[in-house]
């Protein structure tokens, strides 16, 4: 199964999501989106495939969100896409793409909806939270 994860290795949720994908035996294509940002058009396509709005993938914490005034509800998706293109850190992570769909996987176990097989063996997140017990 082809799986793509837009990943930030500094993010625990992103690391846990990547670990869950690998835990079910899939080696995804990992895109460190801060090093290799997706194009504005690709971000728009991902949002469309998720069935939401650009605002759904905006990250506030640790970003210039407030400084850029992105809390203004009158901003259009085009304006928000421009902001993400200029500041890729504004794109929340991890976004996972599989043949079963596209999702912002927060919390990390949301990725299980996009994978073909349920967990067959125990999995524990970095913080000790048990996702599947023995």
């Amino acid at each position: 199964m082809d799986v793509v994860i837009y990943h930030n290795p500094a993010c625990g949720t992103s690391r846990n999501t990547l670990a869950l994908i690998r835990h079910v035996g899939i080696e995804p294509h990992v895109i460190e989106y801060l090093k290799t940002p997706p194009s504005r058009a690709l971000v728009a396509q991902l949002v469309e495939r998720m069935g939401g709005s650009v605002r759904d993938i905006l990250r506030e914490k640790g970003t210039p969100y407030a400084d850029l005034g992105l809390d203004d509800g009158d901003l259009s998706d085009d304006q928000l896409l421009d902001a993400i293109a200029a500041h890729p850190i504004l794109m929340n992570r991890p976004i996972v793409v599989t043949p079963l769909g596209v999702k912002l996987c927060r919390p990390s176990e949301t990725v299980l909806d996009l994978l073909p097989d349920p967990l067959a063996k125990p999995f524990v997140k970095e913080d000790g939270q048990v996702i599947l017990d023995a």
Side-chain angles (χ1 to χ4, degrees):
M1 171 181 250
D2 286 333
V3 175
V4 175
I5 180 171
Y6 292 89
H7 175 63
N8 180 347
C11 171
T13 300
S14 196
R15 288 191 306 271
N16 282 314
T17 302
L18 178 57
L20 274 164
I21 295 167
R22 289 177 169 156
H23 188 75
V24 300
I26 297 171
E27 185 54 43
H29 180 68
V30 179
I31 299 172
E32 290 189 34
Y33 72 95
L34 294 178
K35 290 182 181 178
T36 309
S39 69
R40 183 187 187 283
L42 180 55
V43 173
Q45 182 184 65
L46 291 170
V47 169
E48 182 179 326
R49 290 180 64 194
M50 283 188 246
S53 73
V54 177
R55 193 163 292 285
D56 296 335
I57 66 161
L58 279 180
R59 180 168 179 84
E60 295 180 40
K61 182 179 173 188
T63 74
Y65 179 91
D67 294 339
L68 295 172
L70 299 179
D71 56 346
D72 179 349
D74 290 333
L75 293 174
S76 69
D77 277 358
D78 281 335
Q79 291 170 303
L80 298 175
L81 285 167
D82 289 341
I84 291 171
H87 306 277
I89 192 71
L90 288 165
M91 187 173 90
N92 214 341
R93 73 281 181 157
I95 293 176
V96 177
V97 180
T98 81
L100 300 176
V102 179
K103 279 190 178 193
L104 172 61
C105 293
R106 300 188 75 82
S108 56
E109 54 271 20
T110 305
V111 75
L112 297 174
D113 297 337
L114 298 175
L115 302 176
D117 297 316
L119 292 177
K121 53 189 177 182
F123 183 84
V124 179
K125 288 180 168 183
E126 286 181 2
D127 65 1
Q129 179 184 359
V130 176
I131 300 302
L132 182 66
D133 201 348

